Amino acid sequence: KSQNFKARILEETGGKGVDAAIEAVGAGPSVQQAMTALRFGGRAVWIGNNRPMIEVNMQEIVTRELSVQGSFL
């Protein structure tokens, strides 16, 4: 909470973001962090299922050409 998550990820990746992010909580804030961390064309794998419904920024997924994959096992 004390750091700017997006700024830190960009700093660590030379301004690009990560290739893949694994989201294992299934809550809105952690999903948003995972999506924010991705590079253009990156992939998020969602394995968390804390909440059955969350809000997702579809514009971000479409314009940054992100992929979202779910995995139960």
Side-chain angles (χ1 to χ4, degrees):
K1 292 183 179 182
S2 64
Q3 291 187 20
N4 180 325
F5 180 79
K6 184 176 182 177
R8 180 66 190 264
I9 293 295
L10 292 175
E11 177 185 326
E12 294 291 330
T13 61
K16 294 181 182 180
V18 299
D19 294 329
I22 298 171
E23 198 290 314
V25 177
S30 58
V31 167
Q32 185 55 42
Q33 280 190 331
M35 300 307 285
T36 297
L38 294 172
R39 66 167 173 76
F40 185 90
R43 172 175 288 195
V45 179
W46 294 351
I47 62 174
N49 195 16
N50 185 41
R51 294 217 176 267
M53 301 289 286
I54 59 165
E55 282 192 39
V56 179
N57 183 341
M58 287 297 298
Q59 186 68 25
E60 179 181 33
I61 293 170
V62 171
T63 59
R64 294 179 51 216
E65 298 184 9
L66 304 176
S67 298
V68 178
Q69 178 179 345
S71 180
F72 185 69
L73 299 172

